[in-house]
Amino acid sequence: MNIAIDVMGGDYAPEAVVDGILLAISNLAPEETILAVGPADTINTLLADRGYTGSQIRVINAEQVIEMGEHPTRALSQKPNSSIGVGFALLKEGKADIFASAGNTGAMMVGSLFSVKTIEGIQRPAIAGFIPQTDGTHSVMLDIGANADCKPEMLEQWAVLGSVYAAATRGIERPRVGLLNIGEEEQKGSILTQATYALLKANDKLNFVGNLEGKDVFRGKADVIVTDGFTGNIVLKMGESIYNIMKEQGMVNEFVDRTNYENYGGSPIIGINGNVIIAHGASSPTAIMNMIKLCQNIVKSEVANKIKAAFENN
């Protein structure tokens, strides 16, 4: 397994990314390798300063960096030798099994669409987030920000994507799918959610359990939570803020601790012909370490191939 990591991605790069890679090394199998993508001199100096002399980190030179505020499409075209650009080249050429970055989210999304591309039949890929549940598990919520304006057919596809993902990575035989809405009744909600409800209810490939209200999001009522990217992003970031507020006030709670983004490492882009992870811009070494664990899990689960097979059989 070759895991490509953008060393220059994130608010605290490159130091935090290199430190996170070093934390993850002990969890790698002998045949697993980290491809550290970025300026070779910088990465080699950081590794030497930290006393690393192993062989499971391969440095892949990329002299350019796409900054957080840059226009995604323009930056990718103007900076082909950027760490994000080179990372996607490795993925497209099959030299990496997965590519992960805490850098420019837009560039990661655009890079996915232009390099490995969307699986045939899928209207729009989604970004999946992980929502902790009071029963100790977590649910997959999608979309969490890639698509603010959506059609019902897109949400129906994401329900299928999320179901395949939950089954492949968590071993759930019939993942429960819930639609985020403002009421439990079938007729509640916006034009979008009402139309989506009808599609999910009629889809016999889904284990649809109905609408979920905001009070149900953390209550273990669904394994997959479907919503538009606008709403999903707000819910996810609101959950993250609870952890930060309690931490600022000196309070500790086991459930709230699991809303900390560091525990999950990142969010997979689901619906593309490959494995791509987008991590939080403020990722610490711990978050990077967990991002690499997530990479291992996704590659081992072969979820991208299983999603492709699911849509080919439609």
Side-chain angles (χ1 to χ4, degrees):
M1 184 190 301
N2 291 319
I3 302 170
I5 303 295
D6 172 16
V7 175
M8 303 309 293
D11 298 340
Y12 308 115
E15 291 83 2
V17 181
V18 169
D19 288 339
I21 290 172
L22 292 174
L23 288 174
I25 287 295
S26 61
N27 297 316
L28 296 182
E31 68 277 8
E32 295 175 344
T33 302
I34 300 292
L35 306 180
V37 186
D41 290 344
T42 299
I43 298 172
N44 285 325
T45 297
L46 289 171
L47 291 174
D49 288 346
R50 287 152 176 76
Y52 180 75
T53 57
S55 59
Q56 285 188 281
I57 300 174
R58 277 179 50 208
V59 178
I60 308 295
N61 188 50
E63 294 294 338
Q64 297 172 308
V65 178
I66 295 178
E67 304 294 343
M68 288 292 197
E70 290 191 70
H71 186 278
T73 307
R74 189 181 306 122
L76 281 168
S77 63
Q78 293 177 351
K79 295 182 175 181
N81 194 36
S82 65
S83 52
I84 289 179
V86 172
F88 275 115
L90 292 170
L91 188 65
K92 182 179 180 180
E93 294 166 7
K95 295 177 181 177
D97 297 295
I98 189 166
F99 175 47
S101 173
N104 187 307
T105 299
M108 290 295 290
M109 197 71 195
V110 171
S112 298
L113 297 176
F114 280 93
S115 60
V116 293
K117 304 184 185 305
T118 305
I119 292 172
E120 187 174 354
I122 295 177
Q123 293 187 29
R124 295 273 185 88
I127 302 175
F130 303 109
I131 308 299
Q133 302 297 303
T134 51
D135 61 4
T137 65
H138 68 265
S139 297
V140 179
M141 183 168 71
L142 64 172
D143 182 29
I144 61 162
N147 307 277
D149 298 304
C150 304
K151 298 177 181 179
E153 294 78 11
M154 293 164 60
L155 270 69
E156 181 189 17
Q157 288 192 338
W158 297 341
V160 176
L161 292 177
S163 294
V164 176
Y165 183 91
T169 60
R170 292 186 53 201
I172 304 172
E173 187 173 345
R174 288 271 291 166
R176 298 163 299 161
V177 177
L179 175 65
L180 193 59
N181 208 335
I182 59 171
E184 294 180 356
E185 298 83 5
E186 182 173 346
Q187 68 274 16
K188 284 290 184 71
S190 62
I191 294 173
L192 173 63
T193 54
Q194 289 179 35
T196 301
Y197 190 105
L199 291 176
L200 299 183
K201 183 179 179 182
N203 192 327
D204 57 9
K205 293 184 179 181
L206 297 172
N207 181 14
F208 181 51
V209 297
N211 287 326
L212 296 183
E213 294 185 86
K215 63 183 175 63
D216 302 319
V217 168
F218 303 108
R219 291 289 184 179
K221 294 188 175 183
D223 305 299
V224 179
I225 302 172
V226 179
T227 186
D228 61 275
F230 183 89
T231 305
N233 189 270
I234 290 173
V235 171
L236 186 77
K237 290 181 178 175
M238 182 186 69
E240 291 176 354
S241 74
I242 296 173
Y243 168 78
N244 291 325
I245 290 170
M246 290 192 67
K247 185 177 179 181
E248 290 166 4
Q249 297 182 357
M251 293 185 285
V252 177
N253 176 272
E254 186 275 334
F255 171 75
V256 174
D257 283 349
R258 291 196 294 115
T259 65
N260 180 7
Y261 68 88
E262 289 187 336
N263 293 322
Y264 303 99
S267 299
I269 301 177
I270 302 181
I272 57 174
N273 286 295
N275 300 308
V276 176
I277 301 293
I278 298 174
H280 202 292
S283 288
S284 65
T286 299
I288 297 297
M289 176 187 69
N290 287 326
M291 178 182 77
I292 293 171
K293 288 181 181 179
L294 178 61
C295 288
Q296 292 173 289
N297 186 28
I298 286 176
V299 174
K300 289 174 182 176
S301 71
E302 298 184 344
V303 65
N305 290 332
K306 291 174 181 176
I307 289 172
K308 190 174 181 178
F311 277 83
E312 285 177 346
N313 295 331
N314 275 349

